[in-house]
Amino acid sequence: MSLPISQVVDVTLQQSPQGAQKRDFSVAAIFTSEQCDEYSNPNSRYLVVSDANQVATMFGTNSDAYRATAALFSAKPKPKTAIIAKYWREEVENPETRSRIHGSALTTSYVQFKNITDGQFSFYLNDEIITADGLDFSAVSNMKQVADTIQQKLNSVNVIFTYDEVGNRFIMSSIFTGKNIHFGYVFDSGTEGTYIGALTNLIDGRGYIVDGDDATTHKQESISEALSALQNQYQNWYGVYFANTITDDELIEAHDWVVAQGIENAKIMAYTETRPANIEYNDKNPLKTLSKRNSGRLMVQYNNKGNTHAAAELMGIALTTVWAGVNTAKTVKFKQEVSVTSDDKITINEATKCRRLGINFYTDYAGVNMLAEGVMLGGTFIDETTGLDAFINAVQVQAFNTLQGQPTKIPQTDRGQQILISSIKVVGEQFINNGFLGLGKWTLGDLGELSYGDQINGYYFYSDSFETQDIADREARKMMPINCALKLAGAGHSVDIIVQFNR
């Protein structure tokens, strides 16, 4: 046997480390005190949805959760996902629930059932095989009649078979409540006749089983407890919106919780104001109190046209910036809202009151509907807050992945410092490309070789030499601090045009 080539040339495969992921700054959490079957699990705090129809299926089209989600997903571009989160505003007694199988949305119509006169399918109920056969659909003219035909065969086994019009799906449930009833998916047991399980979507891979539960009591919680409970269970969300009407005290409590999250877990909040009294600049107005704090974390939209979730779409517009793209940074001012009725009768006086507090409104200028003014409560521009949050997260993740991802090490030397700075310059270039950072004059204090009045192209990173590092930081293996100067590109919101003429 010949000798292995590894004795001459030995090759080692080095595993590539998995880096940290940047946060998704497009995800909003919509909190609701309304109930649905999916909330029966006391340990689950949230549901992830990708469109308003999913929320309609769970909460109904008359729910605030649905209306707020519909407004959020009305934004252009449309957010990819949202979170519907629990808020136990009052103590809730949840009754016993039924075990059931939910089918996914149907792609079939009653016509595909109509030609079947010998339909059959089977399923498990508490380890016993139940078969429905001899199903004659020749007389049906809609999906409800299809469900009724199947129900007639299941009456004797205490099972309810229904068609959910909102979700366009079949649901099969037990008439008994509690934990003692268990379903299995629909399958073909080989019974004589035409198998229809695949047409119902109650099969494994298309449906899902929900076990029944005993009665539960959910204790009342504060608004900050609801926010913390979601954050403790799931962290990849950025926006906060409450579907149910909240009190002024709850608004302030929620705002303070958002502000307290700091930089790494940065959040922003949206709130719809419908009361004319709350655009007044007086001490009784909670929005004046929050405006004076100028946290840059709360966006408010005033609406007196009955659109109680106008700010949900405002948030959707603000959160859907693609920071990794080219020329994708945007201002929120001038944008159109499709779920909101333009208040074309808003007066200059009302607009001035809103501007003074930093409250947005939707009206028309010369017949063109648009958002004004694209600011957080207090006056900070929305796009500056979201852009800086995205930049800081990107720099943090990039620096971490550079330190963690090296197969050897980054030396604690000036050369190592340049490796680290070079890695985060990638983020600076990315934010120049997306339009958030731009060329301009530096008008703050001196930083390294950057002085007041110098031109800066978007960003400047600087750190001192390791020769200035003390022994304690050296022993702790700290890199030198990196100072970062940013020049925001800003956004044009108005212009003065001076016309001169000569005869």
Side-chain angles (χ1 to χ4, degrees):
M1 185 177 70
S2 60
L3 295 175
I5 194 175
S6 61
Q7 291 195 348
V8 179
V9 179
D10 188 22
V11 178
T12 301
L13 179 63
Q14 205 166 48
Q15 185 174 356
S16 178
Q18 184 176 358
Q21 299 297 309
K22 289 185 288 187
R23 288 180 59 192
D24 188 345
F25 285 89
S26 70
V27 179
I30 295 177
F31 286 80
T32 179
S33 58
E34 295 164 318
Q35 303 303 307
C36 70
D37 291 340
E38 283 74 9
Y39 276 179
S40 59
N41 180 357
N43 298 318
S44 177
R45 296 294 310 190
Y46 67 95
L47 303 162
V48 179
V49 298
S50 58
D51 60 54
N53 290 331
Q54 292 173 291
V55 182
T57 298
M58 293 183 286
F59 293 91
T61 55
N62 289 325
S63 66
D64 277 310
Y66 167 73
R67 284 189 282 262
T69 310
L72 177 76
F73 282 125
S74 295
K76 305 296 180 186
K78 172 181 170 291
K80 293 179 181 178
T81 58
I83 291 173
I84 311 300
K86 291 178 182 177
Y87 171 32
W88 302 118
R89 193 175 186 181
E90 306 290 343
E91 184 175 284
V92 175
E93 294 284 347
N94 276 348
E96 290 184 322
T97 59
R98 295 183 174 91
S99 295
R100 57 202 181 278
I101 308 177
H102 288 235
S104 54
L106 296 165
T107 57
T108 59
S109 71
Y110 76 91
V111 175
Q112 289 166 280
F113 286 91
K114 197 171 181 64
N115 295 326
I116 299 173
T117 58
D118 61 345
Q120 59 86 9
F121 68 90
S122 300
F123 59 94
Y124 277 97
L125 185 62
N126 280 357
D127 300 324
E128 178 185 354
I129 296 179
I130 305 296
T131 298
D133 57 2
L135 297 166
D136 184 357
F137 300 104
S138 58
V140 303
S141 59
N142 55 55
M143 295 301 272
K144 182 180 182 304
Q145 291 179 2
V146 171
D148 292 342
T149 300
I150 297 173
Q151 178 63 59
Q152 291 174 14
K153 293 289 184 177
L154 298 177
N155 284 330
S156 61
V157 293
N158 300 318
V159 170
I160 304 169
F161 196 98
T162 58
Y163 171 65
D164 172 21
E165 292 186 11
V166 175
N168 185 29
R169 60 181 178 172
F170 290 121
I171 299 174
M172 187 162 58
S173 59
S174 169
I175 67 169
F176 302 111
T177 58
K179 292 183 175 180
N180 298 323
I181 307 296
H182 302 283
F183 274 100
Y185 289 109
V186 165
F187 66 97
D188 187 357
S189 62
T191 302
E192 185 177 350
T194 303
Y195 174 61
I196 65 165
L199 295 177
T200 67
N201 281 358
L202 295 172
I203 60 176
D204 193 358
R206 294 187 189 173
Y208 63 95
I209 295 173
V210 179
D211 291 326
D213 204 353
D214 296 333
T216 55
T217 300
H218 300 286
K219 294 182 179 179
Q220 180 183 13
E221 62 188 7
S222 68
I223 210 162
S224 55
E225 287 173 335
L227 289 159
S228 295
L230 175 62
Q231 181 67 13
N232 290 338
Q233 195 170 106
Y234 184 74
Q235 293 77 45
N236 197 24
W237 54 286
Y238 182 52
V240 177
Y241 187 81
F242 285 86
N244 306 107
T245 301
I246 58 176
T247 67
D248 292 342
D249 289 341
E250 287 176 318
L251 172 63
I252 293 173
E253 182 181 352
H255 167 270
D256 291 348
W257 185 92
V258 166
V259 173
Q261 298 313 295
I263 297 299
E264 187 169 357
N265 296 316
K267 300 281 191 286
I268 60 173
M269 181 179 174
Y271 177 73
T272 306
E273 181 56 78
T274 60
R275 298 166 291 182
N278 277 12
I279 65 172
E280 299 292 340
Y281 196 80
N282 63 63
D283 293 339
K284 293 181 179 180
N285 180 4
L287 296 186
K288 181 196 172 185
T289 300
L290 296 176
S291 175
K292 298 292 283 185
R293 297 184 190 179
N294 196 17
S295 67
R297 293 285 158 189
L298 174 62
M299 62 182 80
V300 178
Q301 183 168 340
Y302 174 63
N303 184 276
N304 63 2
K305 305 292 284 187
N307 304 120
T308 54
H309 297 297
E313 185 173 352
L314 171 66
M315 173 171 280
I317 293 169
L319 266 56
T320 48
T321 300
V322 180
W323 297 109
V326 177
N327 294 328
T328 50
K330 62 186 179 184
T331 179
V332 177
K333 186 175 181 176
F334 306 118
K335 300 299 183 289
Q336 278 73 47
E337 293 182 318
V338 300
S339 70
V340 179
T341 304
S342 173
D343 186 0
D344 55 359
K345 291 184 173 60
I346 193 166
T347 65
I348 292 293
N349 187 44
E350 290 173 317
T352 302
K353 291 176 181 179
C354 288
R355 291 191 187 103
R356 185 176 186 185
L357 292 173
I359 297 173
N360 301 282
F361 51 93
Y362 191 62
T363 187
D364 75 84
Y365 288 78
V368 178
N369 296 329
M370 57 171 266
L371 269 166
E373 295 290 324
V375 293
M376 296 289 189
L377 193 67
T380 301
F381 290 108
I382 293 173
D383 56 292
E384 289 189 1
T385 295
T386 57
L388 289 170
D389 285 346
F391 178 86
I392 289 168
N393 176 251
V395 166
Q396 183 181 41
V397 171
Q398 182 78 351
F400 173 82
N401 287 341
T402 302
L403 291 169
Q404 178 263 348
Q406 295 297 312
T408 54
K409 67 177 181 180
I410 291 182
Q412 229 177 335
T413 64
D414 289 346
R415 174 179 169 274
Q417 191 75 5
Q418 284 306 310
I419 293 173
L420 188 57
I421 291 176
S422 294
S423 75
I424 62 176
K425 281 183 178 179
V426 172
V427 177
E429 291 298 321
Q430 183 183 85
F431 276 71
I432 289 177
N433 290 337
N434 67 33
F436 183 69
L437 302 179
L439 180 68
K441 182 183 293 187
W442 182 248
T443 55
L444 295 178
D446 295 351
L447 176 62
E449 297 178 359
L450 181 66
S451 300
Y452 181 94
D454 287 349
Q455 287 286 316
I456 174 175
N457 188 18
Y459 66 90
Y460 172 70
F461 296 119
Y462 171 79
S463 69
D464 283 335
S465 168
F466 272 96
E467 293 181 1
T468 65
Q469 188 179 48
D470 61 40
I471 296 175
D473 286 348
R474 179 75 182 178
E475 293 296 327
R477 293 202 162 187
K478 290 183 179 181
M479 299 298 284
M480 293 298 292
I482 299 173
N483 296 89
C484 176
L486 298 181
K487 187 65 179 181
L488 306 190
H493 279 191
S494 64
V495 62
D496 292 329
I497 300 175
I498 297 96
V499 178
Q500 293 181 335
F501 72 94
N502 174 257
R503 288 190 180 91

